[in-house]
Amino acid sequence: MSTCWCRRFTPGGAERLLRPTLRKPYRGIAISPSLINQRRKIDLRSERWNRQRLLIVKSIGSESLSEGNCTPCLHGVEEKKESVKQSSIVEKEEDGRRRRDRDRTVEVLVAATATVVLGVGNRVLYKLALVPLKHYPFFLAQLATFGYVLVYFSVLYARYHAGIVTDEMLSLPKTPFLLVGLFEALAAASGMAAGAVLSGASIPILSQTFLVWQLLLSAIFLGRKYRFNQILGCFLVSVGVIITVASGSGGGLSLKDAGIFWALLMITSFLFQAGDTVLKEVIFLDARKRLKGGSVDLFVVNSYGSGFQALFICLLLPFLSKLWGVPFLQLPSYLRDGAACFLNIGTLSTGCEGAPWLPLLFVIVNMGFNISLLHLLKISSAVVSCLASTFSVPLSVYAFTLPLPYIGVASSLPNGFVAGVAVLVSGLLIYCWSSSATTTTTATPSTTTPSSLDHPHHA
């Protein structure tokens, strides 16, 4: 304890001593240096931990805020919901794709069936139409050719005013249609020239080269790739038709008697027809690009193609009339007499029983066949349409064994008919064996068929 004396001055200036006051000394707690260092370490660790925790919280908070969530847990829930939503969308797209594929398959089967039925009717009615016009087959061919131009452009005019055909469709380049008409006219000219020499039984046999040309030209110009089963199936289909037609007709002998030149000329006519089909496929592919995914109307292709074909037929008319045995100078009188027989009027109508109904019925069915074939080509491929048309050949052979009017005595069924049909059907099954074919089924409309003589609008 210490003593402290204080001196105080009064207002009067006198000095006065005060009693000393006692002060207690400050008593602190003694802290060792080691304890202080330990305390500092604890404070530093605590401060470091708080900083790390603050950084973690800030980082999580920024991520949550950037993704629109409040907490990491909500962020995980939203991610799960988004994944479930995306998976449901994918499932719906897969279901829609399977449903569209199924509908497309049904549509192709229906169109193929209609093409086969109309193809059989087309071949049978062509023979029936020639019964009253047996002396005027060239007149029937030109009636079909120029009649189709009138009908197709009339339908095109009606569809244009109905809004189905647009100005964009009509403004497509006309050069490809010009080439289509040229190919069809050349196919008709070469086919008629060879058909005047070859027998009727040999023409369906040679027409099977059309399928071969289709495969080759599609692979070269369209980049199509065919599997082995498809090539084998097409080969068996051709073999089946050859067996069916040649089994009881002596087709091989007739080919040998006619000469190799005319057989090659007939094969060349089918090359022109196959080239016409591939060119129309190019037209439809180009139309999809120009119309931004849209498809050109069928009657646009039919109308312009038939129009240019009629134009080139007129240019080749002197040559074609000579092939049919009609001198060009006598062509006007020939067409006048053919019209009189077709209308079944006047003194020239003798022996024209069945006209005009049989020729008109043939023209109507032939037009329906070409439209059906056009639709099948558009929704499938040129090869599929060719197979459907080829399948109608043995059925037509069987149809002629039935008691048809104006035909007379029905023909007998060839000996190898059953075997040929069995090979043909097996070829179709092998071709359709794989559903995941590598060929693309682009729209390939065409009115060209494997036999120009069976379809006179190409003749």
Side-chain angles (χ1 to χ4, degrees):
M1 181 181 297
S2 62
T3 304
C4 182
W5 292 87
C6 296
R7 182 178 294 179
R8 182 179 181 182
F9 293 91
T10 61
E15 185 177 347
R16 187 179 173 185
L17 294 175
L18 298 178
R19 189 179 60 178
T21 58
L22 300 176
R23 293 183 180 178
K24 295 182 179 181
Y26 176 77
R27 294 182 180 181
I29 301 175
I31 301 176
S32 63
S34 61
L35 184 60
I36 294 175
N37 293 332
Q38 185 177 3
R39 179 70 179 180
R40 288 179 180 176
K41 292 180 179 179
I42 294 174
D43 292 339
L44 290 174
R45 284 199 299 267
S46 177
E47 184 178 358
R48 190 180 301 112
W49 167 252
N50 290 335
R51 288 180 180 177
Q52 293 178 355
R53 185 171 60 181
L54 181 61
L55 291 175
I56 293 173
V57 171
K58 285 184 177 181
S59 62
I60 294 176
S62 62
E63 291 178 0
S64 301
L65 290 175
S66 64
E67 297 179 6
N69 300 321
C70 298
T71 61
C73 294
L74 292 177
H75 176 63
V77 171
E78 291 297 330
E79 282 187 346
K80 187 174 182 180
K81 288 182 179 179
E82 186 67 23
S83 63
V84 172
K85 183 179 180 180
Q86 292 179 357
S87 63
S88 63
I89 293 175
V90 171
E91 290 179 358
K92 289 181 180 179
E93 291 178 353
E94 287 292 329
D95 293 339
R97 185 182 60 81
R98 285 193 294 267
R99 184 165 55 253
R100 287 192 299 269
D101 291 342
R102 185 168 58 251
D103 295 341
R104 182 185 181 87
T105 302
V106 173
E107 185 180 6
V108 170
L109 289 176
V110 172
T113 303
T115 302
V116 171
V117 173
L118 291 173
V120 174
N122 179 65
R123 286 180 168 86
V124 173
L125 286 173
Y126 178 62
K127 301 299 182 183
L128 291 177
L130 287 177
V131 171
L133 296 177
K134 55 182 175 292
H135 298 297
Y136 307 99
F138 185 68
F139 172 82
L140 178 61
Q142 303 315 309
L143 174 67
T145 299
F146 293 95
Y148 291 154
V149 175
L150 178 63
V151 173
Y152 284 148
F153 273 100
S154 299
V155 175
L156 180 64
Y157 179 80
R159 293 172 73 86
Y160 174 75
H161 282 277
I164 300 175
V165 176
T166 62
D167 293 330
E168 290 78 9
M169 296 179 185
L170 297 178
S171 63
L172 293 174
K174 301 302 184 295
T175 303
F177 296 107
L178 181 68
L179 294 177
V180 165
L182 177 62
F183 283 177
E184 291 182 351
L186 292 176
S190 56
M192 289 172 60
V197 179
L198 297 173
S199 66
S202 61
I203 294 176
I205 296 176
L206 295 175
S207 69
Q208 301 315 303
T209 58
F210 178 77
L211 183 57
V212 179
W213 292 128
Q214 283 278 16
L215 292 172
L216 291 177
L217 295 180
S218 297
I220 295 173
F221 294 101
L222 297 177
R224 296 282 175 81
K225 295 181 180 180
Y226 297 95
R227 293 189 174 185
F228 175 76
N229 67 295
Q230 293 175 312
I231 298 176
L232 178 61
C234 292
F235 174 75
L236 291 178
V237 167
S238 300
V239 171
V241 173
I242 293 173
I243 294 175
T244 302
V245 176
S247 57
S249 59
L253 183 61
S254 62
L255 285 174
K256 184 177 179 180
D257 295 339
I260 190 65
F261 172 77
W262 300 107
L264 292 177
L265 186 61
M266 180 61 74
I267 293 174
T268 304
S269 71
F270 296 119
L271 172 61
F272 284 127
Q273 294 183 28
D276 163 61
T277 303
V278 173
L279 182 58
K280 287 183 178 179
E281 190 166 353
V282 173
I283 291 175
F284 270 74
L285 292 174
D286 181 68
R288 285 186 177 181
K289 296 179 181 179
R290 294 178 180 271
L291 301 177
K292 298 180 180 180
S295 179
V296 64
D297 189 72
L298 302 180
F299 285 92
V300 174
V301 180
N302 252 351
S303 299
Y304 284 108
S306 298
F308 285 114
Q309 179 193 3
L311 174 63
F312 285 105
I313 287 293
C314 291
L315 297 178
L316 295 174
L317 202 57
F319 174 70
L320 295 177
S321 63
K322 184 178 180 180
L323 290 176
W324 284 97
V326 181
F328 182 71
L329 296 178
Q330 300 179 7
L331 188 60
S333 61
Y334 172 85
L335 294 177
R336 183 179 63 251
D337 296 343
C341 183
F342 170 74
L343 297 174
N344 202 3
I345 58 175
T347 58
L348 296 176
S349 61
T350 304
C352 298
E353 291 79 8
W357 304 113
L358 288 178
L360 284 178
L361 186 60
F362 160 71
V363 171
I364 293 173
V365 173
N366 183 257
M367 187 179 301
F369 169 71
N370 283 282
I371 294 175
S372 175
L373 183 65
L374 190 72
H375 177 66
L376 178 61
L377 287 165
K378 185 175 182 178
I379 63 177
S380 61
S381 67
V383 176
V384 172
S385 63
C386 183
L387 291 174
S389 181
T390 303
F391 186 68
S392 64
V393 174
L395 295 181
S396 302
V397 174
Y398 175 76
F400 284 111
T401 63
L402 303 176
L404 299 174
Y406 299 100
I407 293 294
V409 180
S411 60
S412 59
L413 199 65
N415 297 327
F417 179 81
V418 177
V421 171
V423 174
L424 188 149
V425 173
S426 63
L428 290 175
L429 293 177
I430 292 175
Y431 180 87
C432 302
W433 182 261
S434 177
S435 59
S436 58
T438 56
T439 55
T440 56
T441 57
T442 54
T444 321
S446 169
T447 57
T448 307
T449 51
S451 177
S452 60
L453 298 180
D454 289 340
H455 313 288
H457 71 288
H458 294 124

